[in-house]
Amino acid sequence: MLFKSFLKSIFLLITCTLIPKLHAIEGDLNYPSCEFKKILETEVHLYISKSVLKDLSRDDVKTEIYTWQENANTVLQNSCIPMRRKVTVISYVKPIDSSWFTESQVDNTVLLIEMENNIEYQDIDAAGVPIFNGIIFGRFENGFKSEFCGFASASSNHFVARLKCDDDVMEHEIGHLSGANHDHKTLIEINQFTSINAFKAQRGQPIKPYSFGKVCAGRGTIMTYEPNIIHAYSNPDITFDGHRCGNPHHADNARVLREFAELYLAKN
């Protein structure tokens, strides 16, 4: 299975910045009300570098991880997405040189952790639902060479993240793995694509035209890099100070995640 994993780990990368985000919202924020008969539970397996234990206890790590889980489920609920995250594996792995945590080395990191620790990542659960696998580093890595909080694969269910980053980092990266993209401003000004068409061409696979984030009245949704964000995916049914936080034609990541959930709910 090693060769299979190697092929899967050669992937395009999406990034999440290290910009601190503020979640206190002052203004008129309105989320839609929704009820679902069925909720898709998605497992998250996290493989954590033992080097984080130089500065944090296992209880500290667990607290941080379950804060990520709580925030992720708040975002999904606010966005009217019939899905929940559940971290079912927290496994410590041999320390890895954190200088490999760069955009060009994530594929090597995923493969090396599998080889060094004699593990095989689970890609789907017993019902055929994707399992999201995260490689987690700490905040005190001297060799850390990246300005970003995390990277997500464009072709598999793997992501890499720093432990002490923004509490939305896990859901942001899983959003990428589920088909959600950054907002247009971020893609052009920070990710430095010359145009949205250039971004689509670089991805090399079909992208839903509405799979982008949204900034509304100075607040970003979760797939943006704005310092002040709303705990939700872009969604035209969410408003902030009278501004819609989505557009059905080009900024509805909530729809992207709902379609992801509905695809697997229909099979079970």
Side-chain angles (χ1 to χ4, degrees):
M1 302 303 291
L2 186 59
F3 180 65
K4 176 184 174 184
S5 297
F6 175 76
L7 290 178
K8 286 168 56 181
S9 64
I10 304 300
F11 45 63
L12 297 172
L13 299 166
I14 313 294
T15 53
C16 171
T17 59
L18 194 55
I19 298 171
K21 294 181 179 179
L22 306 176
H23 301 299
I25 300 296
E26 295 182 2
D28 184 18
L29 175 61
N30 294 286
Y31 294 118
S33 60
C34 49
E35 294 183 6
F36 297 104
K37 293 181 179 179
K38 296 174 68 177
I39 302 290
L40 182 72
E41 185 170 278
T42 53
E43 289 188 49
V44 183
H45 294 182
L46 299 179
Y47 299 90
I48 303 172
S49 172
K50 286 182 178 177
S51 58
V52 307
L53 299 177
K54 295 177 183 177
D55 304 286
L56 300 170
S57 71
R58 289 177 185 254
D59 285 342
D60 291 335
V61 173
K62 185 178 291 186
T63 296
E64 186 68 22
I65 294 304
Y66 286 110
T67 298
W68 285 5
Q69 177 180 282
E70 182 179 354
N71 281 13
N73 288 327
T74 296
V75 168
L76 294 168
Q77 181 177 351
N78 289 344
S79 307
C80 272
I81 298 168
M83 189 153 46
R84 286 187 60 79
R85 309 290 182 213
K86 186 175 183 180
V87 177
T88 56
V89 171
I90 298 177
S91 179
Y92 287 90
V93 297
K94 295 178 182 179
I96 298 239
D97 183 350
S98 61
S99 65
W100 293 341
F101 188 93
T102 63
E103 185 168 358
S104 62
Q105 296 293 331
V106 174
D107 54 343
N108 293 338
T109 300
V110 170
L111 179 60
L112 273 166
I113 287 179
E114 185 173 39
M115 293 173 62
E116 289 283 325
N117 295 274
N118 194 29
I119 60 174
E120 183 176 339
Y121 303 108
Q122 290 181 257
D123 296 323
I124 57 174
D125 66 15
V129 177
I131 295 173
F132 299 106
N133 292 282
I135 309 300
I136 310 301
F137 288 96
R139 59 177 170 174
F140 299 108
E141 303 280 1
N142 293 330
F144 194 86
K145 303 292 184 181
S146 175
E147 64 182 301
F148 298 110
C149 274
F151 301 97
S153 167
S155 58
S156 75
N157 296 337
H158 293 96
F159 67 94
V160 182
R162 291 184 68 183
L163 185 62
K164 282 295 183 178
C165 247
D166 186 84
D167 288 338
D168 288 323
V169 63
M170 185 177 81
E171 186 57 32
H172 181 109
E173 300 307 332
I174 293 177
H176 281 309
L177 296 177
S178 305
N181 295 302
H182 295 154
D183 60 299
H184 289 187
K185 174 186 172 185
T186 295
L187 287 168
I188 292 173
E189 294 184 6
I190 298 179
N191 299 145
Q192 298 184 336
F193 288 97
T194 56
S195 67
I196 298 304
N197 285 336
F199 165 71
K200 292 178 179 178
Q202 190 262 4
R203 287 296 300 274
Q205 58 185 348
I207 293 175
K208 295 177 179 180
Y210 47 85
S211 63
F212 296 94
K214 177 71 172 176
V215 179
C216 52
R219 299 293 192 275
T221 49
I222 190 175
M223 298 305 293
T224 73
Y225 283 4
E226 295 299 310
N228 295 284
I229 72 161
I230 292 167
H231 256 46
Y233 283 96
S234 56
N235 185 333
D237 294 326
I238 297 173
T239 62
F240 180 68
D241 281 351
H243 296 263
R244 293 195 178 277
C245 298
N247 180 290
H249 304 294
H250 58 75
D252 195 352
N253 272 328
R255 177 182 170 188
V256 174
L257 272 288
R258 277 196 297 272
E259 289 171 345
F260 179 95
E262 289 163 358
L263 174 65
Y264 291 99
L265 284 171
K267 296 179 180 180
N268 295 287

